[in-house]
Each structure stands twice: as C-alpha cells, then as structure tokens.
C-alpha cells in the first residue's frame, strides 16, 4: 500500500533500477566503481581512466587510454558560434545555469548524436566530457571579463582546465603537478554515486528517448540544488558566516538542531551514508596536503575541523548518524586552487559527467527499459459531486 515496489515487481516504474556501475554500502562506508574500491581509484588513476572505466566497465589499457585521450583532445573546442552565447548572459548569471544552457545547446551543433546515441558512445562521451570542461572555463573567463584561453594539445584533461581558467596573456599560469593531481582526485571522487537525485534525473529524462545532451542538462539542473551538488558552495557560505560570527559554533550547532529553523549543517548528513562518506575522508586528507604544498593557511579549514569535532561529539548528530559528506571539505580545496565559490557545483558536474553518461548508456542499452513512470499513493479527496460556479463558497 505504500506504492514502493521491489526489483521483481515492476521496479522500472518506480525509478529504482538494477545497475552494474556503482556499489555503495551506506552503513559500512563502502564505495566502488565497477567493483574497484574508490580509495584505490582516487590514489592510482587519472580522472580520464576512471571516466573510461565507468563508461566501458573496464580499466583502459594503454592503447584504449591513448585513443580516449586523443578523442578528448579532438573535441576540446566548442563551436565558435557558441562563444557568442556568453555575450548575452548577464554578468551575474549563475555558472550552473550557463552550463545547462550550453550543454543543452550542443545537440543543435552535433545533431548526429540524436540519431543513434549508442552507436558512437565513445565519440559522444568524449565530446561531452571534453567540451563541458571548456564551457566551464570559458564561462569563468567571460564572467571575469578576461580573454578566453583555448585548450592546448600538450596538457592533460585537468591541466588544460586549470590553464584555461587561470592563464593570462600578461601573467602566464604555472600548471603545478600537485594541483593537477588533487583536481584529478576530486573529479574521480565525484564521478558517480549510484541513483542520487541528478543521476536519477538523467535516467528518467533519458528514458523518454531524449538525446544525451538534453538528459545531461537536466541532471545539471538537479545537481544545482543546495541539498545536492550545491552543498559544497553552501558549506563555504556556512563557514564564512561562522567566521564572521566570531566562530560562534554553538549558535550554528543549535540552529542545525532546531526543528523550527530551516538551517542544516551543509556538508553533513546523507540519504544513504550513515557513517563517514568515504569520499569525505579522502578529500579531508587531500585538503590538508594541498594547503601544505601551496603554503595556504585558510581559517575556514580550521573552522571546518572544529565544527566536525563538535558535531561528532553531539548527541543529536550521533543519534542520527550524521557525518561529513563529500561536500564538507571539497570547497576548501577549490578555494585553495583559486576556483570561485559560485563554480564549486560546476566542478561537481565536471566530475559527475562520466557517471551520468554511464548510467544513461546502461539505461538505454537495457531492452527492458520502459519510460520512467514512478507511481504514487493517492491521498486526496474521494469522489465528490460537481459544484456549479454560482453555488461555490
Ligand atoms: C550529495 O544521494 C547522493 O548520493 C548525493 C551525493 C552524490 O554524490 O550524488 O552524495 C551528493 O548531495 C551529498 C549531500 C549534500 N547535501 C548537504 O550536505 C545538505 C545538508 N544535508 C542535509 O540537508 C541532509 O543530510 C540530506 C538532504 C543530505 C539528507 O536529508 P535526509 O534524507 O532528511 O537525512 P536523514 O533522513 O538522514 O535525516 C535524519 C535526521 C532528520 O532529523 P529528525 O527528523 O530525525 O529529527 O537528521 C536530520 C534530519 O532533519 N538531519 C540534519 C542534517 N541532515 C539530516 N540535521 C542538521 N543538519 C544536517 N545536515
């Protein structure tokens, strides 16, 4: 009677699904992509390798990896006509709104995509993964009023992104290996997370036969939410508010516990994890490392650490199994790298894109997939007689 269905009772209509891509155990804090532990992938792979793994269900060998890299290089530019789009966004436009508009528009420039999306999934995936990075960097340059910096053939996926973001004719940017390694790790950790809000959106929109670009644009919009991908930006705003409030931790902890106050500790809690989010553990360590390498001392990191310590010793959070999630420390790394706060969720989208593509491909390759049509339990009025206008209250 709850309307909930299990795997063998028409689950496809409820939005849940069987998948071979990502496994997570929320009680044990386990996360695996295609059977590989996230800890190993984050330490030993590049983001491009993990993107290939998610989409093809295998870690690429040297030949496959080089072929994928060549496609990413080939598709790094966006059509010059699309650059004019940026001239018409207001300067305060949200980078997430720009990203979803630009990605949605790609289907107009690459119509062959909508014919048989799976036929050239390699090309389509590489085109989207490469272009979203360029779109993100170009939107930042445009928002700063700086000249665009084009992708280079001699830089890696992450190196190119950093260079496109921060290189300037008058002040060349040095692509530091440690920063590239940290960005690779962050993007890997965001690459997929089974049926979260934005991935379910991509699958649901895709199940109607919509092309990949439009399905991904829908996922970008779902990720934008402060309860989802927007949380990394909300964490920084929360830490800055505590800093401005002379580190009044007690005030914010009490606000988070107050049911009459809509405030929640951003970066804390999760729909599935009821222990440490394994991604958060890796990101916290990476945060310490990169701030040391860059010789940055960020008061927000000290505040985050103290907030975590206080929350994890508070009965309210312990009883509800609320722990830091993937978003709690990631924003501090982005700040250290120089990425503006309003682009943190864009970074989440760059990381999540291969997972969205893999999930969309899995859904479209499954011959039993039906158009997503979750059911409901009706709790409204029983049937009642019609009331003519003149007799209504
Ligand atoms: C992501 O699904 C995914 O996998 C998403 C994601 C991914 O990779 O795609 O992991 C990315 O979205 C991570 C989550 C980012 N969002 C935030 O950090 C926003 C802050 N978090 C909360 O809003 C909340 O924890 C949610 C939205 C994430 C989950 O909300 P739920 O499902 O209500 O959490 P719950 O059922 O575990 O809550 C249990 C209790 C409730 O109180 P009671 O009714 O029992 O009294 O804990 C409370 C909640 O109100 N609670 C919080 C809290 N999170 C839950 N109280 C204070 N602060 C919080 N952060």
């Amino acid at each position: 009677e709850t309307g909930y269905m299990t795997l063998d009772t028409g689950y496809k209509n409820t939005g849940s699904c069987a998948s071979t891509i990502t496994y997570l155990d929320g009680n044990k804090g386990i996360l695996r992509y295609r059977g590989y532990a996230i800890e190993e992938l984050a330490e030993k792979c590049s983001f491009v390798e993990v993107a290939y793994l998610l989409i093809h269900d295998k870690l690429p060998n040297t030949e496959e990896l080089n072929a994928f890299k060549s496609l990413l290089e080939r598709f790094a530019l966006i059509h010059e006509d699309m650059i004019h789009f940026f001239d018409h966004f207001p300067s305060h436009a949200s980078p997430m709104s720009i990203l979803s508009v630009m990605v949605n528009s790609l289907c107009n420039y690459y119509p062959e995509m909508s014919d048989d999306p799976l036929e050239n999934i390699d090309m389509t995936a590489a085109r989207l993964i490469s272009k979203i990075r360029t779109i993100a960097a170009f939107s930042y340059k445009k928002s700063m009023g700086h000249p665009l910096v084009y992708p280079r053939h001699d830089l890696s996926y992450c190196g190119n992104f950093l260079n496109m973001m921060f290189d300037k004719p008058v002040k060349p940017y040095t692509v530091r290996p440690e920063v590239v390694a940290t960005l690779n790790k962050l993007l890997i950790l965001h690459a997929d997370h089974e049926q979260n809000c934005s991935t379910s959106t991509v699958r649901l929109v895709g199940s109607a036969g919509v092309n990949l670009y439009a399905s991904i644009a829908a996922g970008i919009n779902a990720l934008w939410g402060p309860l989802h991908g927007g949380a990394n930006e909300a964490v920084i705003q929360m830490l800055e508010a505590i800093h401005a409030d002379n580190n009044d931790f007690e005030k914010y902890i009490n606000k988070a516990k107050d049911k009459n106050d809509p405030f929640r500790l951003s970066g804390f809690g999760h729909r599935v994890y009821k222990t440490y989010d394994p991604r958060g553990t890796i990101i916290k360590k990476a945060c310490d490392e990169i701030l040391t390498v860059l010789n940055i001392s960020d008061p927000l990191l000290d505040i985050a650490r103290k907030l975590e310590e206080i929350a994890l010793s508070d009965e309210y959070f312990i009883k509800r199994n609320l722990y830091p999630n993937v978003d709690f420390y990631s924003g501090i790394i982005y700040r250290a790298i120089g990425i503006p706060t309003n682009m943190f969720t864009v970074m989440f989208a760059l990381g999540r894109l291969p997972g969205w593509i893999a999930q969309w491909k899995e859904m479209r390759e499954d011959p039993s997939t039906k158009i997503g049509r979750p059911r409901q339990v009706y709790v409204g009025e029983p049937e009642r007689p019609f009331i003519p206008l003149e007799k209504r209250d």
Side-chain angles (χ1 to χ4, degrees):
E1 67 284 359
T2 61
Y4 181 80
M5 298 184 217
T6 57
L7 206 50
D8 57 359
T9 59
Y11 64 99
K12 289 199 187 291
N13 289 325
T14 64
S16 61
C17 64
S19 177
T20 63
I21 300 169
T22 291
Y23 171 78
L24 59 96
D25 180 323
N27 294 318
K28 295 180 186 157
I30 295 172
L31 174 58
R32 300 185 196 121
Y33 296 159
R34 299 288 193 184
Y36 296 98
I38 192 66
E39 292 78 6
E40 284 212 274
L41 295 174
E43 277 311 311
K44 300 173 183 171
C45 282
S46 68
F47 172 60
V48 170
E49 281 179 276
V50 170
Y52 188 97
L53 166 67
L54 286 167
I55 294 165
H56 294 286
D57 194 6
K58 84 180 283 284
L59 283 168
N61 59 35
T62 305
E63 188 187 341
E64 289 160 336
L65 183 58
N66 289 337
F68 193 49
K69 283 179 178 174
S70 303
L71 285 176
L72 290 168
E73 186 181 314
R74 177 176 155 196
F75 295 129
L77 288 172
I78 60 174
H79 195 293
E80 284 290 309
D81 287 355
M82 289 190 80
I83 293 175
H84 298 302
F85 285 35
F86 291 113
D87 299 336
H88 305 288
F89 292 117
S91 57
H92 59 276
S94 153
M96 283 299 276
S97 69
I98 293 172
L99 198 66
S100 66
V101 166
M102 298 297 277
V103 166
N104 208 30
S105 304
L106 287 173
C107 69
N108 300 310
Y109 289 86
Y110 307 100
E112 73 284 358
M113 197 349 264
S114 25
D115 297 341
D116 180 350
L118 296 175
E119 195 178 307
N120 297 311
I121 193 69
D122 246 342
M123 307 262 279
T124 308
R127 175 183 283 133
L128 195 38
I129 291 168
S130 196
K131 290 186 188 308
I132 200 172
R133 169 200 49 187
T134 306
I135 290 166
F138 280 10
S139 71
Y140 172 65
K141 283 299 199 191
K142 277 290 183 179
S143 73
M144 299 296 286
H146 294 171
L148 300 182
V149 173
Y150 279 64
R152 285 172 25 185
H153 67 86
D154 58 333
L155 290 174
S156 67
Y157 183 87
C158 289
N160 245 321
F161 172 74
L162 291 164
N163 192 60
M164 286 194 274
M165 283 284 288
F166 303 122
D167 191 45
K168 295 192 194 87
V170 288
K171 191 178 176 210
Y173 174 74
T174 305
V175 179
R176 291 185 59 167
E178 306 92 331
V179 177
V180 171
T182 302
L183 186 54
N184 263 297
K185 191 173 284 185
L186 277 172
L187 295 181
I188 288 169
L189 292 168
H190 286 83
D192 194 57
H193 211 240
E194 57 131 283
Q195 303 312 311
N196 58 83
C197 179
S198 54
T199 299
S200 301
T201 301
V202 169
R203 287 181 81 116
L204 195 61
V205 170
S207 71
V210 169
N211 70 67
L212 178 61
Y213 300 121
S215 303
I216 297 298
I220 291 169
N221 288 312
L223 188 72
W224 193 354
L227 294 184
H228 189 13
N232 53 19
E233 184 175 343
V235 167
I236 295 299
Q237 288 156 357
M238 172 182 71
L239 297 175
E240 284 175 335
I242 294 172
H243 190 44
D245 239 340
N246 300 312
N247 295 358
D248 186 350
F249 293 100
E250 190 179 356
K251 171 182 168 187
Y252 288 86
I253 289 287
N254 289 338
K255 277 173 65 69
K257 290 157 53 173
D258 178 357
K259 290 304 168 198
N260 299 316
D261 189 325
F263 175 77
R264 290 286 174 273
L265 277 197
S266 285
F268 251 78
H270 198 274
R271 291 308 315 266
V272 177
Y273 289 121
K274 300 309 166 192
T275 181
Y276 254 100
D277 180 333
R279 302 167 298 176
T281 307
I282 299 168
I283 291 174
K284 183 178 178 181
K285 179 169 172 285
C287 190
D288 290 339
E289 289 165 356
I290 195 65
L291 264 67
T292 304
V293 164
L294 297 178
N295 194 25
I296 292 174
S297 121
D298 185 346
L300 298 193
L301 177 56
D302 302 330
I303 292 172
R305 284 193 186 118
K306 185 68 182 164
L307 192 62
E308 176 185 354
E309 181 194 321
I310 296 171
L312 294 188
S313 57
D314 184 297
E315 185 54 28
Y316 172 93
F317 293 90
I318 294 168
K319 199 171 84 174
R320 293 169 174 80
N321 298 311
L322 303 176
Y323 291 83
N325 58 44
V326 66
D327 295 302
F328 193 62
Y329 287 100
S330 56
I332 296 170
I333 296 181
Y334 291 138
R335 264 163 67 94
I337 290 176
I339 293 168
T341 308
N342 71 349
M343 279 194 66
F344 288 2
T345 311
V346 168
M347 299 309 295
F348 195 141
L350 263 60
R352 185 54 51 90
L353 181 56
W356 283 334
I357 294 172
Q359 298 268 355
W360 184 91
K361 173 175 177 277
E362 181 178 74
M363 177 273 301
R364 289 292 276 269
E365 282 176 335
D366 178 351
S368 68
T369 291
K370 300 181 188 310
I371 180 170
R373 205 316 186 175
R375 294 307 310 274
Q376 64 167 27
V377 175
Y378 177 72
V379 292
E381 291 289 339
E383 186 174 7
R384 51 184 169 168
F386 178 76
I387 304 170
L389 181 58
E390 63 278 5
K391 291 190 176 171
R392 293 173 200 161
D393 302 339

